[in-house]
Structure formats: structure tokens, C-alpha cells
Amino acid sequence: MENTHMETECPTLSALAWTVIKNRYLARNCAGDLIETPADMFHRVAASVARADRLFDTGADLSKTTERFEAVLASLAFLPNSPCLMNAGTPLGQLAACFVLPVEDRPEAMCQTMKEAAIIHGACGGIGFSFSRLRPRGDTILQACGGAEGPVAFIRQLDRAAARTDQNRRRPAANMAVLEISHPDIEAFINAKQTRGELRHFNLSVAVDDQFMECVNSGRNYPLVHPGTGKAVGRRNAEEIFERMASSAWQTGDPGLLFIDRINRDNPLPRMGRICATNPCGEQPLLPYESCTLGSINLTKVVENKEINFVELDRLARTAVHFLDNVIEINHYPLRQIEEASRSTRKIGLGVMGFADMLILLNIPYQSDRAVAVAGRIMSRIQRSAEAESASLALVRGNFPCFEHSIFPKRGVRLRRNATLTTVAPTGSISLIAGVSSGIEPVFAFRGRRRINGILYDDIHPIYARYQKDQKPIPKEVFQSAWDVAPEWHLKVQAAFQRHTENAVSKTVNLPGSATREDVRQVFLNAHAMGLKGITIYRDTSHGDQVLNTCTVN
Ligand code: UDP
């Protein structure tokens, strides 16, 4: 009953979107009954985010801004990250998806990190940690009988704690563990997820620097460095370690790589410290205690008569930047340090979803030079519009507080409300709500079954379904699934987006089950050579518990 009633109230939502929204997003009373419709949810979010305008202009017309925000949300043309949809205008009020916490090599600081992680997970946030400062396993600890446990043991402790805080949550506790390639425990880290079921709440990424990549390319050894003393404590063959990472990723998908020098070349605040970690899915590099709210434009909404409406794209990007800057103002931050850091840099991450669907609507195969060109044009346009909006916000609201310490004054930029503006997120949940392909990924499968909260749903791609309904022949060259796209084209699309994205781009290179370890190694090498900030691969069947069962177009 409940289902039918709500569906008629929000005809734009698919059955799958409805299930996701009902189970995880809509507000409920203490008895667990729904107390809002999807339309109410969009109004709740729009009205509470619009309210920030009054902080800068007491005469601001809130109903006008609310209407503008509500229009883009309810039409599914722009959606903020899940915590914002879930919590805006509610007592929890925590709206950011991404956090990075510091990890210090002192027992009391490590306990503090565990506590802070539990608080953030309880507030729907995902966390990235760099464990590179922890002393290696077996290292002596003054006044203690045994040796240090090392980074991997601490990651396991955090994982167990995350499993506990995961109960009764609307969002799984997601984490990213980063370790520098020169850490003495790097091999244990690379192998940490080889046993099935281990570290379910963690993605692993090795922070790889350019010097290491040079050693890989020239077959040289590289030093392992003690994080406390800075002294070399061993040497490894770079090529062998590189192969081990590829082999491990071939087997389980982990680790991914973060090209840490490339990330730091785009660090807008180098004087505030080197970036060592990203959020769980890798798209948002952050300094310790920073947070970021993401938002994504639904690209299918800017296609008209098989053409891209760039004026509409500009309008959506500017509305989205205004929205996300307001979010920084009204967010209930889970920790004081996070509030301070987030407000001083005011990082936001505007990106896209439905890129693959947009290509289908434009009749362009994903695996084509035209698709790569469209990717570049779309993202450069979003970046430019985002800069324009951030500058006009700065005119009224002021530059972000750390502006003078940033790279912008030297570049001649005078107005900037936000230290970063663009990020391409995975949009794993919000793309389901919008009913479009996720992020910039190719369509995973045109017909398949998707498991949501343990229940399997038929999942037929909407554009594909329309072709079937109209009994039109399916143009197979345009309906390319992730498995039809060769790895180098995945990378070319990722690189095209990255060129115009200030933060990073979330992308998984899907490989068929028959792919070899050498194929993975080659993808890793190419990703670095193409200037990407990170790389994640997933080989079909390597986990055995996939979300989707594919069914090819026929
Ligand atoms: N995230 C999380 N738990 C999840 C999914 C995502 O903490 O189950 C965080 C994580 O930092 C991730 C970011 O949200 O990198 C963005 O993920 P996505 O775009 O898939 O989130 P959505 O807004 O679609 O839920």
C-alpha cells in the first residue's frame, strides 16, 4: 500500500529508485513510519540549504532560492551526496560524504582516531586515513615488552570497530586505508585483503610517488624508509613490488594506486601541508580533518534533440556551486577540528552522473574519440561555470579564509569562495535515485538484477527498455556495457575528465574474468603515464559476490 501511494506521488522515480529512497532516505517517526514523500524530502533539503543565504544577506529572498534548489533536485537534474539528502533539515544535520582523519604514532592518539572514526561513521560519513606515519610491525616501543603491531593490525582494529558501528545504519561505514610505497610494511599491506571477507569496510590504496615509478620503469631498487627516523631500513626491487600490487588487484580488486605526487601538484594549499590521503572511493584528496560535500549533475538532463544544451549545463553548475557553498555553512560538523578545517578551505566537489547514458542519447559509443572529446568539453564547461559562481559568491561572502595561503593569488585569481570546486564521485546511490548510469562509468549491464538490502530487483536500463517498448532495433555499437569497453578507453575517458577536475575522478576499470595479471600491470602503468591521480581495477568474478549479474544486450 505504502509503495503504491508514494509512487503515484512521485511519478519521475523508477521502482528501484523508490525502494532506495524509501529504505534509506525518507524521514521516519520514532515508530519507524515514513513521515515524508520524496517530494517532501526534496523540499526539506532545498529549504534548509537555502536558509544559509540569510547569513550573508538579511534581505535574501529565501523562497526564491528554495524554489530554485527544489526545482533542480525534484527534476533529478542535480543531487547532492547521500548524507545531505538524508540529513539536511533534520536534527543530525551532517551533510558531508568525505572525511580524512590523522593517524599519529602514539597509542593515545590512535585511540582518539578510533573514537573520531566511530563518531563520523555514526553521522553517515566515509573516512580516509594515511597509516604511513605508524612505525612498522615489530619495531621497538620504549617501556613496552613487545614490539609495535604495525599499520595493518591497526587497520584491522578499525575495521572491527566499523563493523560494530555499521549496525542499524542507513549507509555502510566506508573507509580508505593509504600506505606509502616506501613504508617497511608495504608487502603486508598489499596482501591484507587476500583472504576473502577480510577488511570488508576498507578500500586499500598504495600511495605511489614518481620516484618509485621511475624505479619501476628502469628496473631499479627503491628504499624502504622508517617513518619515525627517516632512515632507509631496506631496499626492494620496484618492479617486483609493482607486480605484486597488480597481482593482488587481479585477485581481489585491492589495492588501488594513488599517484601521490600528481595529487600534490594540484594541492591548492601546499603551505598547509602535503596531501597523504583521500576519501574512501579516491575522488577527494583532503588534508587531515577536512571534509567535503559532493554533488553531481545528471547529464541526461542537458541533452536536447541529440545535442548538449551548454547553457543549461552552465545554469545547473552555478546553482550547484551556490547550493554546495551553502551546505558548508549549515552543516553540523561531527568534530570541532573538522568544522575548523572545513570552513577554512571550504572545499566542494561538483561532478557528474549519467555520462554513459548521455552518450547513448547522443548516439556516441563510449569507446570512441568522440566520447573522449565530449568528456573534456562537458567537464571544462562545468569547471569554468563553477569558477564563475565561486567568484561571484566570494564578492558577497568573501574568499575562503585560507585564500592568502593558497596558490590562487599567485595565479592572479582574486576571488574564490572555495579552495576546490570539482570532483567526479562514484554516485553509487544517487545515480540509482536519478535512474541513470553512475558517475562516468559505462553502463554495467543493460539487463540484470540488482541486490538492494538483500533483495534482488530486476534492473533494466531505461533507455534500453524504451527501445524494446517501441520495438526499435537496438544499435549495439552505442549500447556498450562496461565489458565491451577496452581498458585503454576506460582510462582515456577518466583522463579527459581529470584534465578539467580540480580534485580527482572516481573510476573503476572493469576487466573481463579472462584478463591476466599482466593486463592489470599495464593498466596501472598507463594510468600513471596518462596523468591520472589514482587507479582502481575490478576483474569480473574476482570476488564472487558481485552486486549485479550481467546479461548482455541481445
Ligand atoms: N560513501 C560512504 N559510504 C557508502 C558510500 C559512499 O561513506 O556506502 C562516501 C565515500 O566517501 C565515497 C563518497 O561517499 O567516496 C561518495 O560516494 P557515492 O558518490 O557513491 O555516494 P552517494 O552520494 O551516491 O551515496
Side-chain angles (χ1 to χ4, degrees):
M1 276 311 288
E2 186 180 65
N3 189 339
T4 328
H5 167 69
M6 294 292 181
E7 262 168 340
T8 50
E9 280 201 35
C10 201
T12 44
L13 293 180
S14 70
L16 188 67
W18 163 248
T19 307
V20 171
I21 288 202
K22 183 180 64 169
N23 290 348
R24 310 225 303 258
Y25 293 75
L26 298 183
R28 290 171 185 267
N29 63 17
C30 300
D33 303 321
L34 289 182
I35 53 167
E36 64 179 6
T37 64
D40 295 336
M41 174 185 82
F42 292 130
H43 181 76
R44 163 173 59 78
V45 175
S48 66
V49 174
R51 232 166 274 144
D53 279 9
R54 279 271 163 89
L55 299 168
F56 308 101
D57 173 6
T58 46
D61 184 347
L62 290 192
S63 55
K64 207 167 128 204
T65 313
T66 302
E67 229 171 77
R68 205 150 57 88
F69 288 167
E70 196 171 341
V72 294
L73 298 176
S75 64
L76 307 171
F78 163 77
L79 290 176
N81 55 211
S82 293
C84 182
L85 289 175
M86 291 168 175
N87 302 333
T90 72
L92 181 56
Q94 197 301 107
L95 313 179
C98 318
F99 297 83
V100 162
L101 283 178
V103 180
E104 299 291 336
D105 187 45
R106 289 177 292 118
E108 63 278 19
M110 287 160 79
C111 290
Q112 181 69 13
T113 300
M114 289 193 81
K115 181 177 147 192
E116 291 173 349
I119 293 170
I120 295 173
H121 285 149
C124 303
I127 313 169
F129 309 84
S130 166
F131 296 91
S132 304
R133 289 166 84 159
L134 295 188
R135 69 189 70 192
R137 180 176 161 79
D139 203 52
T140 26
I141 306 180
L142 279 180
Q143 295 154 352
C145 305
E149 289 192 318
V152 175
F154 187 44
I155 297 169
R156 290 198 200 288
Q157 279 184 41
L158 285 165
D159 188 63
R160 282 194 291 273
R164 280 196 295 276
T165 52
D166 219 17
Q167 288 156 7
N168 301 323
R169 292 182 68 250
R170 290 185 289 176
R171 198 161 160 79
N175 298 289
M176 167 75 93
V178 181
L179 197 70
E180 276 174 18
I181 191 77
S182 61
H183 194 284
D185 287 2
I186 194 66
E187 284 160 274
F189 181 79
I190 292 168
N191 294 327
K193 281 184 78 167
Q194 290 302 290
T195 313
R196 185 166 290 179
E198 285 288 294
L199 298 180
R200 298 187 87 112
H201 297 276
F202 269 91
N203 292 330
L204 304 183
S205 270
V206 177
V208 165
D209 55 33
D210 288 345
Q211 213 180 346
F212 172 80
M213 292 306 294
E214 275 166 32
C215 292
V216 172
N217 290 327
S218 58
R220 276 182 292 142
N221 289 349
Y222 79 102
L224 297 181
V225 178
H226 190 288
T229 63
K231 289 199 177 126
V233 291
R235 292 186 80 72
R236 288 286 181 281
N237 181 276
E239 221 177 333
E240 267 174 43
I241 296 290
F242 197 73
E243 267 167 27
R244 206 158 304 169
M245 293 192 286
S247 171
S248 213
W250 177 87
Q251 223 161 335
T252 66
D254 279 286
L257 305 188
L258 289 180
F259 299 116
I260 206 72
D261 288 334
R262 171 71 183 83
I263 286 176
N264 277 284
R265 277 197 285 281
D266 278 356
N267 180 359
L269 291 148
R271 281 159 64 188
M272 287 177 69
R274 189 172 157 81
I275 289 175
C276 300
T278 68
N279 70 334
C281 300
E283 69 276 13
Q284 188 62 48
L286 293 171
L287 294 164
Y289 286 126
E290 272 187 317
S291 69
C292 188
T293 303
L294 311 174
S296 303
I297 293 172
N298 175 352
L299 291 177
T300 67
K301 299 288 179 182
V302 297
V303 179
E304 276 169 25
N305 304 324
K306 296 194 185 298
E307 295 207 353
I308 302 168
N309 181 342
F310 281 101
V311 175
E312 175 62 1
L313 185 63
D314 291 342
R315 188 187 71 86
L316 287 174
R318 292 192 74 140
T319 305
V321 168
H322 179 182
F323 180 101
L324 293 171
D325 191 66
N326 279 19
V327 166
I328 296 175
E329 227 37 64
I330 62 156
N331 197 354
H332 294 188
Y333 294 91
L335 297 167
R336 185 185 46 80
Q337 296 96 315
I338 290 176
E339 172 149 18
E340 280 170 17
S342 308
R343 282 180 178 275
S344 63
T345 57
R346 305 188 67 85
K347 287 183 178 174
I348 58 173
L350 176 61
V352 298
M353 58 183 157
F355 174 65
D357 286 359
M358 162 191 248
L359 292 177
I360 295 173
L361 293 173
L362 295 172
N363 240 331
I364 298 175
Y366 192 98
Q367 179 167 314
S368 69
D369 286 324
R370 281 174 72 204
V372 174
V374 168
R377 284 175 68 203
I378 290 279
M379 205 58 216
S380 66
R381 191 80 181 217
I382 292 174
Q383 175 65 33
R384 260 186 292 149
S385 298
E387 283 169 14
E389 183 63 20
S390 189
S392 35
L393 289 171
L395 212 52
V396 177
R397 305 179 173 190
N399 284 325
F400 63 93
C402 291
F403 178 81
E404 290 306 325
H405 303 296
S406 76
I407 54 172
F408 297 113
K410 259 202 192 142
R411 291 187 179 176
V413 177
R414 285 183 302 108
L415 291 169
R416 247 302 182 144
R417 180 71 178 150
N418 315 91
T420 69
L421 295 166
T422 45
T423 301
V424 178
T427 71
S429 299
I430 59 167
S431 66
L432 288 181
I433 295 173
V436 298
S437 55
S438 55
I440 61 162
E441 299 293 353
V443 175
F444 193 79
F446 289 96
R447 294 183 62 182
R449 311 195 78 197
R450 193 184 283 267
R451 193 184 303 277
I452 309 271
N453 290 358
I455 301 167
L456 274 175
Y457 291 86
D458 280 333
D459 185 16
I460 300 182
H461 188 272
I463 309 174
Y464 179 77
R466 226 179 297 150
Y467 266 83
Q468 278 196 322
K469 189 165 158 264
D470 299 346
Q471 298 188 332
K472 283 197 269 179
I474 306 272
K476 283 190 186 171
E477 66 287 359
V478 176
F479 280 80
Q480 291 179 327
S481 80
W483 315 103
D484 300 324
V485 176
E488 61 267 33
W489 288 95
H490 281 269
L491 294 179
K492 280 185 189 181
V493 169
Q494 185 176 349
F497 274 99
Q498 184 61 76
R499 270 194 285 282
H500 306 285
T501 301
E502 290 178 339
N503 292 302
V505 175
S506 167
K507 175 91 189 70
T508 301
V509 174
N510 285 97
L511 298 167
S514 58
T516 62
R517 289 174 166 83
E518 174 54 25
D519 293 334
V520 176
R521 199 183 83 93
Q522 210 53 53
V523 169
F524 280 3
L525 282 175
N526 290 344
H528 181 253
M530 289 167 83
L532 301 184
K533 292 188 180 174
I535 179 75
T536 308
I537 67 105
Y538 179 75
R539 186 175 62 90
D540 194 23
T541 71
S542 58
H543 269 299
D545 54 356
Q546 286 172 253
V547 192
L548 282 163
N549 299 322
T550 56
C551 174
T552 50
V553 176
N554 50 36

